[in-house]
């Protein structure tokens, strides 16, 4: 990933001062969460630029090598399955490039939320917690913490107190709730500020979850308005 990721952008007002970079799940693309932007509108929020990048197309081992948009290769869904270390690290650099671009466009790191769903959640957590500039917050939806055993050593002080919103469906058969609970426990063990939410849903987005995400954005952006 030597080139900038392709993105879709939506703004909630002119001259946005804040940004949300939102990473989609396996096999989807940047359009996946584009429709929720109006649902997150709130008069308490500043003008926000939502950035929805497309993951590269790559063969995915778990899906019989079928090419699809993926942030990294998947070898299994067991919590102790082999992980694509090189792919995860390469995507981290690509996501950091998007964060840098927002800063160059006038949105400082402290005004940026890094968000993701499923595999995108994994990359948001992996990247945000290791970033050497403080973010406003991290949103992790229906995913898990990849390479969790390396986090204690790589957890950057700049984001050690960054608020994290971690949410999961109690009926999720794609990424089991137990995986998210393990991720929650790791973050809590490191003292990370954490809002943990569960919803009665499968692998998806719950209406109440949208309300809770909106309130999270209001909270983490409020000090910077």
């Amino acid at each position: 990933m030597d080139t900038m990721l392709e993105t879709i952008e939506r703004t909630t007002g002119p001259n946005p001062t804040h940004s949300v970079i939102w990473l989609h799940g396996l096999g989807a693309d940047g359009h996946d969460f584009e429709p929720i932007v109006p649902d997150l509108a709130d008069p308490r929020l500043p003008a926000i630029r939502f950035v929805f990048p497309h993951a590269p197309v790559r063969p995915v081992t778990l899906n019989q090598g079928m090419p699809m948009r993926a942030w990294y290769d998947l070898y299994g869904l067991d919590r102790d399955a082999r992980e694509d270390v090189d792919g995860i690290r390469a995507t981290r650099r690509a996501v950091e490039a998007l964060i840098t671009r927002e800063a160059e466009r006038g949105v400082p790191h402290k005004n940026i939320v890094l968000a993701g769903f499923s595999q995108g959640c994994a990359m948001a957590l992996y990247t945000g917690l290791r970033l050497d500039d403080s973010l406003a917050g991290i949103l992790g939806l229906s995913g898990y913490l990849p390479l969790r055993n390396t986090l204690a050593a790589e957890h950057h002080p700049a984001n050690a107190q960054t608020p994290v919103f971690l949410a999961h469906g109690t009926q999720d058969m794609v990424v089991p709730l137990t995986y998210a609970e393990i991720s929650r426990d790791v973050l809590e063990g490191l003292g990370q500020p954490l809002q943990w939410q569960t919803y009665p849903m499968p692998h998806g987005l719950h209406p109440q979850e949208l309300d809770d995400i909106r309130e999270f954005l209001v909270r983490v952006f409020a000090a910077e308005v």
Side-chain angles (χ1 to χ4, degrees), residues 114-134:
L114 186 57
F117 175 81
S118 194
Q119 197 185 49
C121 163
M123 282 313 313
L125 293 171
Y126 183 83
T127 303
L129 295 170
R130 290 165 174 79
L131 193 68
D132 58 3
D133 282 292
S134 300

Side-chain angles (χ1 to χ4, degrees), residues 38-149:
D39 296 324
L40 297 177
D42 191 287
R44 296 171 293 171
L45 287 169
I48 301 171
R49 178 187 297 116
F50 283 85
V51 179
F52 300 102
H54 300 303
V57 175
R58 70 180 77 213
V60 174
T61 301
L62 183 65
N63 292 339
Q64 292 76 51
M66 183 182 300
M68 62 183 62
R69 291 197 181 275
W71 297 112
Y72 51 87
D73 196 5
L74 274 178
Y75 302 106
L77 288 177
D78 182 87
R79 66 183 182 183
D80 295 317
R82 173 189 170 196
E83 295 186 83
D84 180 14
V85 177
D86 291 340
I88 291 169
R89 289 175 176 168
T91 292
R92 172 189 171 185
R93 293 191 293 271
V95 174
E96 288 178 343
L98 291 177
I99 295 170
T100 298
R101 186 176 70 175
E102 289 307 292
E104 292 170 348
R105 293 201 283 185
V107 179
H109 290 76
K110 65 179 181 177
N111 289 7
I112 297 173
V113 164
L114 186 57
F117 175 81
S118 194
Q119 197 185 49
C121 163
M123 282 313 313
L125 293 171
Y126 183 83
T127 303
L129 295 170
R130 290 165 174 79
L131 193 68
D132 58 3
D133 282 292
S134 300
L135 297 170
I138 301 170
L139 275 166
L141 312 177
S142 299
Y144 64 97
L145 189 66
L147 302 178
R148 64 184 184 276
N149 294 329

Side-chain angles (χ1 to χ4, degrees), residues 15-33:
N15 305 313
T17 56
H18 294 64
S19 297
V20 176
I21 300 173
W22 197 303
L23 310 177
H24 62 75
L26 178 69
D29 62 22
H31 291 286
D32 201 27
F33 286 92

Side-chain angles (χ1 to χ4, degrees), residues 125-180:
L125 293 171
Y126 183 83
T127 303
L129 295 170
R130 290 165 174 79
L131 193 68
D132 58 3
D133 282 292
S134 300
L135 297 170
I138 301 170
L139 275 166
L141 312 177
S142 299
Y144 64 97
L145 189 66
L147 302 178
R148 64 184 184 276
N149 294 329
T150 70
L151 181 57
E154 298 175 357
H155 195 199
H156 200 284
N159 282 291
Q161 292 303 309
T162 297
V164 175
F165 179 94
L166 196 62
H168 215 88
T170 56
Q171 303 156 18
D172 195 328
M173 301 299 289
V174 177
V175 181
L177 178 62
T178 53
Y179 295 10

